[in-house]
Every structure is written in C-alpha cells, then in structure tokens.
Amino acid sequence: MKLSVNWTKPLIRYAVVFGITMSLLLSGCESPHSTYTKYTDSFFDTFDTVMTVVIYSESQEEFEFYLEKIKARFRELHELYDIYNNYEGINNLKTINDSAGLEPVKVRKEILDLVLFAKEWCRLTDGTFNVAMGSVLRIWHDYRQEGLHDPSIARLPSKTELREAGKYTDIDKVIVDLENSTVFLADGKMSLDVGAVAKGYATEIVVKEMIALGLKSAMFSAGGQIRTIGKPLDGIRERWGVGIHDPKQSILQDEGLLDVIFFNDASVANSGGYQRYYVVDGKAYHHIIDPDTLMPANYYDLVTVLSADSGVADILSTALFVLPYEKGLSLIENVDEAEALWVMPNGEIKATSGMQRLMRSLGATGSKTD
Ligand code: AMP
Ligand code: MG
C-alpha cells in the first residue's frame, strides 16, 4: 500500500517535465577515471516533437553507430503510427482508419502489438484511456487547429456533435486478427488516435533494441518523455536526474524546477493541459479528453508517471490526467512498479510514496553516497 503526502507550493501553478532539463542536470564533467564520454544529439522529424538522445560511450564512432540506428527506427515507427499521412508502400494507422467499416488491413507486427497493448490498457483503465476515441479527438483537433489559425473565430464543438461522435468509440470494435496480421475497425464511423501512447511505445521499442545491441548507458527524451538505460557512466553519479520544470520559467534555466526525480532503467511521462490548447472566450481548452464528458479534463495542471516501461508511463499519465485523484491513486496502486505525481491547479502537489523517495525535495540524490 502506497502512502500519499501532500504539500503546497503556491507560487508554482504550472509545471512540466522538460527533456531539455536533463541535459542541464547532466552538465557535470566525467570523472578522470571514467573511460566513457557523454555524447548527445537531437532530431526533430519524428512524432511531431524534439527527440534528444544522450549516450555515454567509449568513442564517437560507437555513439554514431547507435544514433543512426535510433534515428532510422524512430522514423520507421513514426510512419507506421501516423494517423494523418500515407507513405508509399506501407499500411499504417491511417490506412486502418481509411478502411474502417470496409476491410481488415494487413499490417506489420509493430502495429499489431501497439493495438493489442492499447486495447489491454483500455480495459485496465476502465475505458479512461481509449485509442478508439478517434472520432471525438478529431473534432477537438479540428476546432483547435481552426482556433489557433485564427483566434478571432475560435469556437467550441457543440454537445450534439460530440455526443454523435461519441457513439463510435467502442474498443471492442477494434478487431485484431493475429493469424492474418490484420486490424479491422468494424464501424465505418470510428477511427484510432494513438497520440496518448505512440511516442512512449515507440521509445520502448527503440530502447529495447538498442539494449539488445549492447547500449549500456543512455537517456532518451521524446518531447519530454524520458527513458533511461543503465546508470550515467561518468564515474560520478549512480542515477540519472530528470527535472520537473515550471513552464512559466525559461526552460534553459535551472531555476523554476519544481523538483528533480532520480532513477535508472525506467521512464517518466507527463500529461498537461499546457502542452496543446486553444482559447475560446478567454478560457483554455486542451487536448486530453474525458471519455465520459467528451470535454477536456480539468483536475490538474500536470500529471507525471514513472514506470519501467515507457509505453505504460505514457498511457498512465494520460489516464491519470482524466481521473479524479482518488480514482487515479487507486489505479496507480494497482499497477506494479508505477509511481505518480499530480500538480493541482492551486499548486498543491501530491505524490505516491514511491515517487516521494525519488524526489530531490524530499532528500533523494543521484550521487554514490546516499
Ligand atoms: P498525452 O500527451 O500522452 O497525455 O496524450 C494526449 C493525446 O492523446 C491527445 O493529443 C489525443 O491525441 C490523445 N487523447 C486525448 N484524450 C485521450 C483519452 N482519453 N484516451 C486516449 N487518448 C487520448
Ligand atoms: Mg500519454
């Protein structure tokens, strides 16, 4: 049973885990006894976000060997999990959506596995996380795009429109046939949206493959979603440190950190309304939608989840963002090796006891001596 302690930081109303913070926390030099050097690079062409890779390796060549493989694999997975674009010669999630109600689509294992994983977590979260909500999420996406393009005409979708789309979100109508390697959406009006899971799931695939190739010490940031491998091989620290940042402060400054979490071989994902939103009549409407109300959920400014698996962390941060605190706490308590931190709109922070043990503000450090 995990205990939860609450405390308040009234000045910090909005918080975010920024991947970029990690490089700041890493900026200490290596011990003269370490044979490893820290290399880092970023790329921008996958999953609509900035991907940053930090690797401790024994040579530049070794770093480049991994980096090329990592980039290529992220690109491949981006194309497979894309719901907006077609690519020559491959069936991706858009192909499945375009074939809804018409025919099963033959797809690669990476898609079959993702869809099965998402179906299972829809069940485990009691429908809170639901990739079959494409019809509803598409409406919010289109209204948001319109409002961002021209704020003077920003408007909300009507309840009728949302309720009509909400009729076509049945996860049981997402049919996976492993024998024939197909996915079929059994209703022509439904569609998949994997925005809450694809980045984390893809990161986990890439990480597992790089570990199999021999990568020992690395940190991946997929737009702020962090996955670490091993410990930092600088000869100094025992754990990676990942900053939880106040987005009202410049992300390039170490001030404004809400906290730092120290952990190895795990992932941290965050969900927050500040990440993608538009404004109607002075009020912000963001992108994480409660399947019951079909409206943006407004319980928190930020939810951060730590889990060994980056796909699980991604799903759980989205699911917890939509659940009232007691329900969210009970969900996370039932998941092995997952921890959470919630930032309330009034700045109050709640965290599971396992998360508290990793937090700098409560005494955790990344050094050898603790
Ligand atoms: P994240 O930033 O990981 O919390 O994911 C947010 C994205 O997930 C949104 O932009 C939508 O594409 C999608 N999404 C929003 N609400 C839900 C939900 N209740 N279940 C599944 N996906 C969702
Ligand atoms: Mg997510």
Side-chain angles (χ1 to χ4, degrees), residues 272-353:
Y274 57 82
Q275 289 166 329
R276 220 173 298 154
Y277 65 90
Y278 73 121
V279 177
V280 182
D281 296 332
K283 189 170 178 314
Y285 292 86
H286 63 73
H287 64 135
I288 307 176
I289 305 301
D290 182 334
D292 291 335
T293 62
L294 306 178
M295 297 294 288
N298 281 314
Y299 299 110
Y300 318 102
D301 281 352
L302 171 75
V303 173
T304 297
V305 169
L306 179 130
S307 160
D309 182 297
S310 142
V312 172
D314 199 354
I315 287 173
L316 284 176
S317 74
T318 310
L320 291 195
F321 194 82
V322 172
L323 287 172
Y325 176 66
E326 292 303 331
K327 282 196 174 162
L329 184 63
S330 124
L331 170 63
I332 200 91
E333 282 179 340
N334 284 310
V335 180
D336 276 348
E337 295 183 14
E339 304 297 340
L341 178 152
W342 296 260
V343 183
M344 306 297 177
N346 68 359
E348 184 189 2
I349 298 168
K350 296 173 191 265
T352 57
S353 56

Coordinates of all heavy atoms in Angstrom, one line a residue, residues 272-353:
G272 N -0.2 17.3 -19.6 CA -0.6 18.5 -19.0 C -1.4 19.3 -20.1 O -1.1 19.2 -21.3
G273 N -2.3 20.1 -19.6 CA -3.2 20.9 -20.5 C -2.4 22.0 -21.2 O -2.8 22.4 -22.3
Y274 N -1.2 22.4 -20.6 CA -0.4 23.5 -21.2 C 0.2 23.0 -22.5 O 0.7 23.8 -23.3 CB 0.7 23.9 -20.2 CG 1.5 22.7 -19.9 CD1 2.5 22.3 -20.7 CD2 1.2 21.9 -18.8 CE1 3.2 21.1 -20.4 CE2 1.9 20.8 -18.4 CZ 2.9 20.4 -19.3 OH 3.6 19.3 -19.0
Q275 N 0.3 21.7 -22.8 CA 1.1 21.2 -23.9 C 0.4 21.5 -25.3 O 1.1 21.8 -26.2 CB 1.3 19.7 -23.8 CG 2.2 19.3 -22.7 CD 2.1 17.8 -22.3 OE1 1.1 17.2 -22.5 NE2 3.3 17.3 -21.9
R276 N -0.9 21.4 -25.3 CA -1.6 21.7 -26.6 C -3.0 22.2 -26.2 O -3.8 21.5 -25.6 CB -1.7 20.4 -27.4 CG -1.5 20.7 -28.9 CD -1.4 19.3 -29.6 NE -0.4 18.4 -29.2 CZ -0.5 17.1 -29.3 NH1 -1.5 16.6 -29.8 NH2 0.6 16.4 -29.0
Y277 N -3.3 23.5 -26.6 CA -4.6 24.0 -26.2 C -4.9 25.2 -27.1 O -4.1 25.7 -27.9 CB -4.6 24.4 -24.8 CG -3.7 25.6 -24.5 CD1 -4.1 26.9 -24.6 CD2 -2.3 25.4 -24.1 CE1 -3.3 28.0 -24.3 CE2 -1.5 26.4 -23.9 CZ -1.9 27.7 -24.0 OH -1.1 28.8 -23.8
Y278 N -6.2 25.6 -27.1 CA -6.6 26.8 -27.7 C -7.5 27.6 -26.8 O -8.0 27.0 -25.8 CB -7.2 26.6 -29.1 CG -8.6 26.0 -29.2 CD1 -9.6 26.7 -29.8 CD2 -8.9 24.7 -28.6 CE1 -10.9 26.1 -29.9 CE2 -10.1 24.2 -28.7 CZ -11.1 24.9 -29.3 OH -12.4 24.3 -29.4
V279 N -7.8 28.8 -27.1 CA -8.6 29.7 -26.2 C -9.9 30.1 -26.8 O -9.9 30.6 -28.0 CB -7.7 30.9 -25.8 CG1 -8.5 31.8 -24.9 CG2 -6.4 30.5 -25.1
V280 N -11.0 29.9 -26.1 CA -12.3 30.3 -26.6 C -12.9 31.2 -25.4 O -13.0 30.7 -24.3 CB -13.3 29.2 -26.8 CG1 -14.6 29.7 -27.4 CG2 -12.6 28.2 -27.8
D281 N -13.3 32.4 -25.8 CA -13.8 33.4 -24.8 C -12.9 33.5 -23.6 O -13.4 33.4 -22.4 CB -15.2 33.0 -24.4 CG -16.2 33.1 -25.6 OD1 -15.9 33.9 -26.5 OD2 -17.2 32.3 -25.7
G282 N -11.6 33.5 -23.7 CA -10.7 33.7 -22.6 C -10.4 32.5 -21.8 O -9.6 32.5 -20.9
K283 N -11.0 31.3 -22.2 CA -10.8 30.1 -21.5 C -10.0 29.1 -22.3 O -10.3 28.9 -23.5 CB -12.1 29.5 -21.1 CG -12.1 28.4 -20.1 CD -13.5 28.0 -19.6 CE -13.6 26.9 -18.6 NZ -12.9 25.7 -18.8
A284 N -9.0 28.4 -21.7 CA -8.2 27.5 -22.5 C -8.8 26.1 -22.5 O -9.4 25.6 -21.5 CB -6.8 27.4 -21.8
Y285 N -8.8 25.5 -23.7 CA -9.4 24.1 -23.9 C -8.2 23.3 -24.5 O -7.7 23.6 -25.5 CB -10.6 24.2 -24.8 CG -11.8 24.9 -24.2 CD1 -11.9 26.2 -24.3 CD2 -12.7 24.1 -23.5 CE1 -12.9 26.9 -23.7 CE2 -13.8 24.8 -22.9 CZ -13.9 26.2 -23.0 OH -14.9 26.8 -22.4
H286 N -7.8 22.3 -23.7 CA -6.7 21.5 -24.1 C -7.1 20.2 -24.8 O -8.2 19.9 -25.1 CB -5.7 21.3 -22.9 CG -6.3 20.5 -21.8 ND1 -6.6 19.2 -21.9 CD2 -6.8 20.9 -20.6 CE1 -7.1 18.7 -20.8 NE2 -7.3 19.8 -20.0
H287 N -6.1 19.3 -24.9 CA -6.2 18.1 -25.8 C -6.5 16.8 -25.2 O -6.5 15.8 -25.8 CB -4.9 18.1 -26.6 CG -3.7 17.8 -25.8 ND1 -2.8 16.9 -26.2 CD2 -3.3 18.3 -24.6 CE1 -1.8 16.8 -25.2 NE2 -2.1 17.7 -24.3
I288 N -6.6 16.8 -23.8 CA -6.8 15.5 -23.2 C -8.3 15.4 -22.7 O -8.7 16.2 -21.9 CB -5.8 15.3 -22.0 CG1 -4.4 15.5 -22.4 CG2 -6.0 13.9 -21.4 CD1 -3.3 15.5 -21.4
I289 N -8.9 14.4 -23.3 CA -10.4 14.4 -23.3 C -11.0 13.3 -22.4 O -10.6 12.1 -22.5 CB -11.0 14.3 -24.7 CG1 -10.4 15.4 -25.6 CG2 -12.5 14.3 -24.7 CD1 -10.7 16.8 -25.2
D290 N -11.9 13.7 -21.5 CA -12.6 12.7 -20.6 C -13.6 12.0 -21.5 O -14.5 12.6 -22.0 CB -13.2 13.6 -19.5 CG -13.9 12.7 -18.5 OD1 -14.3 11.5 -18.9 OD2 -14.1 13.1 -17.3
P291 N -13.5 10.7 -21.5 CA -14.4 9.9 -22.4 C -15.9 10.0 -21.9 O -16.8 9.7 -22.6 CB -13.9 8.4 -22.3 CG -12.8 8.4 -21.3 CD -12.5 9.8 -20.9
D292 N -16.1 10.3 -20.6 CA -17.4 10.4 -20.1 C -18.1 11.8 -20.5 O -19.2 11.8 -21.0 CB -17.5 10.3 -18.5 CG -17.1 8.9 -18.1 OD1 -17.4 8.0 -18.9 OD2 -16.6 8.7 -17.0
T293 N -17.4 12.9 -20.3 CA -18.0 14.2 -20.6 C -17.7 14.6 -22.1 O -18.3 15.5 -22.6 CB -17.4 15.3 -19.7 OG1 -16.0 15.3 -19.9 CG2 -17.6 14.9 -18.2
L294 N -16.7 14.0 -22.7 CA -16.2 14.3 -24.0 C -15.6 15.7 -24.1 O -15.4 16.3 -25.1 CB -17.3 14.2 -25.1 CG -18.0 12.8 -25.1 CD1 -19.1 12.7 -26.2 CD2 -16.9 11.7 -25.4
M295 N -15.2 16.2 -22.9 CA -14.6 17.6 -22.7 C -13.2 17.4 -22.1 O -12.9 16.4 -21.5 CB -15.5 18.4 -21.8 CG -16.9 18.7 -22.2 SD -16.9 19.8 -23.7 CE -16.4 21.4 -23.0
P296 N -12.4 18.5 -22.3 CA -11.1 18.4 -21.6 C -11.2 18.2 -20.1 O -12.1 18.8 -19.5 CB -10.5 19.8 -22.0 CG -11.2 20.3 -23.2 CD -12.6 19.7 -23.1
A297 N -10.4 17.4 -19.6 CA -10.4 17.2 -18.1 C -9.7 18.3 -17.4 O -8.6 18.7 -17.9 CB -9.7 15.8 -17.8
N298 N -10.2 18.7 -16.3 CA -9.5 19.9 -15.6 C -9.2 19.7 -14.2 O -9.2 20.6 -13.4 CB -10.4 21.1 -15.8 CG -10.3 21.7 -17.2 OD1 -9.2 21.9 -17.7 ND2 -11.5 22.0 -17.8
Y299 N -8.8 18.5 -13.8 CA -8.5 18.2 -12.4 C -7.1 18.7 -12.0 O -6.8 19.0 -10.9 CB -8.5 16.7 -12.1 CG -9.8 16.1 -12.3 CD1 -10.1 15.2 -13.4 CD2 -10.9 16.3 -11.5 CE1 -11.3 14.6 -13.6 CE2 -12.1 15.8 -11.6 CZ -12.3 14.9 -12.7 OH -13.5 14.3 -12.9
Y300 N -6.1 18.7 -13.0 CA -4.7 19.0 -12.7 C -4.1 19.9 -13.7 O -4.6 20.0 -14.8 CB -3.9 17.7 -12.7 CG -4.6 16.5 -12.0 CD1 -5.2 15.6 -12.8 CD2 -4.7 16.5 -10.6 CE1 -5.9 14.5 -12.2 CE2 -5.4 15.4 -10.0 CZ -6.0 14.4 -10.8 OH -6.7 13.4 -10.2
D301 N -3.0 20.5 -13.3 CA -2.1 21.2 -14.3 C -1.1 20.2 -14.9 O -0.7 20.4 -16.1 CB -1.3 22.3 -13.6 CG -2.2 23.5 -13.4 OD1 -3.4 23.5 -14.0 OD2 -1.8 24.5 -12.8
L302 N -0.8 19.2 -14.2 CA 0.2 18.3 -14.7 C 0.1 16.9 -14.0 O -0.2 16.9 -12.7 CB 1.6 18.8 -14.4 CG 2.8 17.9 -14.6 CD1 3.1 17.7 -16.1 CD2 4.1 18.4 -13.9
V303 N 0.3 15.9 -14.7 CA 0.4 14.5 -14.0 C 1.7 13.9 -14.6 O 2.0 13.9 -15.8 CB -0.7 13.6 -14.4 CG1 -0.4 12.2 -13.8 CG2 -2.0 14.1 -13.8
T304 N 2.6 13.4 -13.7 CA 3.8 12.8 -14.1 C 3.8 11.3 -13.6 O 3.4 11.1 -12.5 CB 5.0 13.5 -13.4 OG1 5.1 14.8 -13.9 CG2 6.3 12.8 -13.8
V305 N 4.1 10.4 -14.5 CA 4.1 9.0 -14.1 C 5.4 8.4 -14.4 O 6.1 8.6 -15.4 CB 3.0 8.2 -14.9 CG1 3.1 6.7 -14.7 CG2 1.6 8.7 -14.4
L306 N 5.9 7.6 -13.5 CA 7.1 6.8 -13.6 C 6.8 5.3 -13.7 O 6.0 4.8 -13.0 CB 8.1 7.1 -12.5 CG 9.4 6.3 -12.6 CD1 10.6 7.2 -12.3 CD2 9.4 5.1 -11.6
S307 N 7.4 4.7 -14.7 CA 7.1 3.2 -14.9 C 8.4 2.6 -15.6 O 9.1 3.4 -16.3 CB 5.9 3.0 -15.7 OG 5.9 1.7 -16.3
A308 N 8.6 1.4 -15.4 CA 9.7 0.7 -16.0 C 9.6 0.8 -17.5 O 10.6 0.9 -18.3 CB 9.8 -0.7 -15.6
D309 N 8.4 0.7 -18.0 CA 8.1 0.7 -19.4 C 7.5 2.0 -19.9 O 6.6 2.6 -19.4 CB 7.0 -0.4 -19.7 CG 6.7 -0.6 -21.1 OD1 6.1 0.4 -21.8 OD2 6.9 -1.7 -21.6
S310 N 8.2 2.5 -21.0 CA 7.8 3.9 -21.4 C 6.4 4.0 -22.1 O 5.8 5.0 -22.0 CB 9.0 4.3 -22.3 OG 8.6 5.1 -23.4
G311 N 6.0 2.9 -22.7 CA 4.6 2.8 -23.2 C 3.6 2.9 -22.1 O 2.6 3.6 -22.1
V312 N 3.8 2.2 -21.0 CA 2.9 2.2 -19.8 C 2.9 3.6 -19.2 O 1.8 4.1 -18.8 CB 3.4 1.1 -18.8 CG1 2.6 1.2 -17.5 CG2 3.2 -0.3 -19.4
A313 N 4.1 4.2 -19.0 CA 4.1 5.5 -18.4 C 3.3 6.5 -19.3 O 2.6 7.3 -18.7 CB 5.6 6.0 -18.3
D314 N 3.5 6.4 -20.6 CA 2.7 7.3 -21.5 C 1.2 7.2 -21.3 O 0.5 8.1 -21.1 CB 3.1 7.0 -22.9 CG 2.8 8.2 -23.9 OD1 2.2 9.2 -23.4 OD2 3.2 8.1 -25.0
I315 N 0.8 5.9 -21.3 CA -0.7 5.7 -21.2 C -1.2 6.2 -19.8 O -2.2 6.8 -19.7 CB -1.0 4.2 -21.3 CG1 -0.8 3.8 -22.8 CG2 -2.3 3.8 -20.8 CD1 -0.9 2.3 -23.0
L316 N -0.4 5.8 -18.8 CA -0.9 6.1 -17.4 C -0.9 7.6 -17.1 O -1.8 8.1 -16.4 CB -0.1 5.4 -16.4 CG -0.4 3.9 -16.2 CD1 0.6 3.3 -15.2 CD2 -1.8 3.7 -15.8
S317 N 0.0 8.4 -17.7 CA 0.0 9.8 -17.4 C -1.3 10.4 -18.1 O -2.0 11.3 -17.5 CB 1.2 10.5 -17.9 OG 1.3 10.6 -19.3
T318 N -1.6 9.9 -19.2 CA -2.9 10.4 -19.9 C -4.1 10.0 -19.1 O -5.0 10.8 -18.8 CB -3.0 9.9 -21.3 OG1 -1.7 10.2 -22.0 CG2 -4.1 10.6 -22.1
A319 N -4.1 8.7 -18.7 CA -5.3 8.2 -18.0 C -5.5 8.9 -16.7 O -6.6 9.3 -16.3 CB -5.2 6.7 -17.8
L320 N -4.4 9.1 -15.9 CA -4.5 9.8 -14.6 C -4.9 11.2 -14.7 O -5.7 11.7 -13.9 CB -3.2 9.7 -13.8 CG -2.6 8.4 -13.3 CD1 -1.5 8.6 -12.3 CD2 -3.7 7.6 -12.7
F321 N -4.5 11.8 -15.8 CA -4.9 13.2 -16.1 C -6.4 13.4 -16.1 O -7.0 14.4 -15.8 CB -4.3 13.7 -17.3 CG -4.3 15.2 -17.5 CD1 -3.4 16.0 -16.8 CD2 -5.3 15.9 -18.2 CE1 -3.4 17.4 -16.9 CE2 -5.4 17.2 -18.3 CZ -4.4 18.0 -17.6
V322 N -7.1 12.3 -16.6 CA -8.5 12.3 -16.8 C -9.3 11.9 -15.6 O -10.5 12.1 -15.5 CB -8.9 11.5 -18.0 CG1 -10.4 11.3 -18.2 CG2 -8.3 12.0 -19.3
L323 N -8.6 11.3 -14.6 CA -9.3 10.7 -13.5 C -9.2 11.6 -12.2 O -8.2 12.1 -11.9 CB -8.7 9.3 -13.1 CG -9.0 8.2 -14.1 CD1 -8.1 6.9 -13.7 CD2 -10.5 7.8 -14.0
P324 N -10.3 11.7 -11.5 CA -10.2 12.4 -10.2 C -9.2 11.7 -9.3 O -8.9 10.5 -9.5 CB -11.6 12.2 -9.6 CG -12.5 11.6 -10.6 CD -11.6 11.1 -11.7
Y325 N -8.6 12.5 -8.4 CA -7.4 12.0 -7.6 C -7.6 10.6 -7.0 O -6.8 9.7 -7.1 CB -7.0 13.0 -6.6 CG -5.9 12.6 -5.7 CD1 -4.6 12.4 -6.2 CD2 -6.1 12.3 -4.3 CE1 -3.6 11.9 -5.5 CE2 -5.1 11.9 -3.6 CZ -3.8 11.7 -4.1 OH -2.8 11.2 -3.3
E326 N -8.7 10.4 -6.3 CA -8.9 9.1 -5.5 C -8.9 7.9 -6.5 O -8.3 6.9 -6.3 CB -10.2 9.1 -4.7 CG -10.1 10.1 -3.5 CD -9.0 9.8 -2.6 OE1 -8.5 8.6 -2.5 OE2 -8.5 10.7 -1.9
K327 N -9.6 8.1 -7.6 CA -9.6 7.1 -8.6 C -8.3 6.8 -9.3 O -7.9 5.7 -9.5 CB -10.7 7.4 -9.7 CG -12.1 7.2 -9.3 CD -13.0 7.2 -10.6 CE -14.4 6.9 -10.1 NZ -15.4 7.2 -11.1
G328 N -7.6 7.9 -9.5 CA -6.3 7.8 -10.1 C -5.3 7.1 -9.2 O -4.5 6.2 -9.6
L329 N -5.4 7.5 -7.9 CA -4.5 6.8 -6.9 C -4.8 5.4 -6.9 O -3.8 4.5 -6.8 CB -4.7 7.5 -5.6 CG -3.8 7.1 -4.4 CD1 -2.4 7.4 -4.7 CD2 -4.2 7.7 -3.1
S330 N -6.0 5.0 -6.9 CA -6.3 3.6 -6.8 C -5.9 2.8 -8.1 O -5.4 1.7 -8.0 CB -7.8 3.4 -6.4 OG -8.5 2.6 -7.4
L331 N -6.0 3.5 -9.2 CA -5.4 2.9 -10.4 C -3.9 2.6 -10.3 O -3.4 1.5 -10.6 CB -5.8 3.7 -11.7 CG -5.1 3.3 -13.0 CD1 -5.6 2.0 -13.5 CD2 -5.4 4.4 -14.1
I332 N -3.2 3.6 -9.9 CA -1.7 3.5 -9.9 C -1.3 2.5 -8.8 O -0.3 1.8 -9.0 CB -1.0 4.9 -9.8 CG1 0.4 4.9 -10.2 CG2 -1.1 5.4 -8.3 CD1 0.6 5.2 -11.6
E333 N -2.0 2.4 -7.8 CA -1.7 1.5 -6.7 C -1.8 0.0 -7.2 O -1.2 -0.9 -6.6 CB -2.5 1.7 -5.5 CG -2.0 2.9 -4.7 CD -2.9 3.2 -3.4 OE1 -4.0 2.7 -3.4 OE2 -2.4 3.8 -2.5
N334 N -2.6 -0.1 -8.2 CA -2.8 -1.5 -8.7 C -1.9 -1.9 -9.9 O -2.0 -2.9 -10.4 CB -4.3 -1.7 -9.2 CG -5.2 -1.9 -8.0 OD1 -4.9 -2.7 -7.1 ND2 -6.2 -1.1 -7.9
V335 N -1.0 -0.9 -10.3 CA -0.1 -1.2 -11.3 C 1.3 -1.4 -10.7 O 1.7 -0.6 -9.9 CB 0.0 -0.1 -12.3 CG1 1.0 -0.4 -13.4 CG2 -1.4 0.2 -12.9
D336 N 1.9 -2.5 -11.0 CA 3.2 -2.8 -10.4 C 4.3 -1.8 -10.9 O 4.3 -1.4 -12.1 CB 3.7 -4.2 -10.9 CG 3.2 -5.3 -10.1 OD1 2.6 -5.0 -9.0 OD2 3.2 -6.5 -10.5
E337 N 5.1 -1.4 -10.0 CA 6.2 -0.5 -10.3 C 5.9 0.7 -11.1 O 6.5 1.0 -12.1 CB 7.3 -1.3 -11.0 CG 7.9 -2.4 -10.2 CD 9.0 -3.2 -10.9 OE1 9.5 -2.7 -11.9 OE2 9.4 -4.2 -10.4
A338 N 4.8 1.3 -10.7 CA 4.4 2.6 -11.3 C 4.2 3.6 -10.2 O 3.6 3.3 -9.2 CB 3.2 2.5 -12.2
E339 N 4.7 4.8 -10.4 CA 4.5 5.9 -9.4 C 4.0 7.1 -10.1 O 4.1 7.3 -11.3 CB 5.9 6.2 -8.8 CG 6.6 5.0 -8.1 CD 5.8 4.4 -7.0 OE1 5.0 5.1 -6.4 OE2 6.1 3.2 -6.6
A340 N 3.4 8.0 -9.3 CA 2.8 9.2 -9.9 C 2.9 10.4 -9.1 O 3.1 10.3 -7.8 CB 1.3 9.0 -10.2
L341 N 2.9 11.6 -9.7 CA 2.9 12.9 -9.1 C 1.8 13.7 -9.8 O 1.7 13.8 -11.0 CB 4.3 13.5 -9.3 CG 4.6 14.9 -8.7 CD1 6.1 14.9 -8.4 CD2 4.2 16.0 -9.7
W342 N 1.0 14.4 -9.0 CA -0.1 15.3 -9.5 C 0.2 16.7 -9.1 O 0.4 17.0 -7.9 CB -1.4 14.9 -8.9 CG -1.9 13.5 -9.2 CD1 -2.9 13.2 -10.2 CD2 -1.6 12.2 -8.6 NE1 -3.1 11.8 -10.2 CE2 -2.4 11.2 -9.2 CE3 -0.8 11.9 -7.5 CZ2 -2.3 9.9 -8.8 CZ3 -0.7 10.6 -7.1 CH2 -1.5 9.6 -7.8
V343 N 0.1 17.6 -10.0 CA 0.1 19.1 -9.6 C -1.3 19.6 -9.8 O -1.8 19.7 -10.9 CB 1.1 19.8 -10.5 CG1 1.2 21.3 -10.1 CG2 2.5 19.2 -10.4
M344 N -1.9 20.1 -8.7 CA -3.2 20.6 -8.7 C -3.2 22.0 -9.3 O -2.2 22.7 -9.2 CB -3.8 20.6 -7.3 CG -3.7 19.3 -6.6 SD -4.8 18.1 -7.5 CE -4.5 16.7 -6.6
P345 N -4.4 22.5 -9.8 CA -4.4 23.9 -10.3 C -4.0 24.9 -9.2 O -3.6 26.0 -9.6 CB -5.9 24.1 -10.7 CG -6.4 22.7 -10.9 CD -5.6 21.8 -10.0
N346 N -4.2 24.6 -8.0 CA -3.8 25.6 -6.9 C -2.3 25.5 -6.5 O -1.9 26.1 -5.6 CB -4.7 25.5 -5.7 CG -4.5 24.2 -4.9 OD1 -3.7 23.4 -5.3 ND2 -5.2 24.1 -3.8
G347 N -1.6 24.6 -7.2 CA -0.2 24.5 -7.0 C 0.2 23.4 -6.0 O 1.3 23.0 -5.8
E348 N -0.8 22.8 -5.4 CA -0.6 21.7 -4.4 C -0.1 20.5 -5.2 O -0.5 20.2 -6.3 CB -1.9 21.3 -3.8 CG -1.8 20.2 -2.7 CD -3.1 19.7 -2.2 OE1 -4.1 20.1 -2.7 OE2 -3.1 18.8 -1.3
I349 N 0.9 19.8 -4.6 CA 1.5 18.6 -5.2 C 1.2 17.4 -4.4 O 1.3 17.4 -3.2 CB 3.0 18.8 -5.3 CG1 3.3 20.0 -6.2 CG2 3.6 17.5 -5.9 CD1 4.8 20.4 -6.1
K350 N 0.7 16.3 -5.1 CA 0.5 15.1 -4.4 C 1.4 14.1 -5.1 O 1.7 14.1 -6.3 CB -0.9 14.6 -4.5 CG -1.9 15.5 -3.8 CD -3.3 15.1 -4.2 CE -4.4 16.1 -3.7 NZ -5.0 15.8 -2.4
A351 N 1.9 13.1 -4.3 CA 2.8 12.1 -4.9 C 2.7 10.8 -4.2 O 2.5 10.7 -3.0 CB 4.3 12.5 -4.9
T352 N 2.8 9.7 -4.9 CA 2.8 8.3 -4.3 C 4.1 8.2 -3.4 O 5.0 8.9 -3.7 CB 2.7 7.2 -5.3 OG1 3.8 7.3 -6.2 CG2 1.4 7.2 -6.1
S353 N 4.0 7.3 -2.5 CA 5.2 7.3 -1.6 C 6.5 6.8 -2.4 O 7.6 7.3 -2.1 CB 4.9 6.3 -0.4 OG 4.6 5.1 -0.9

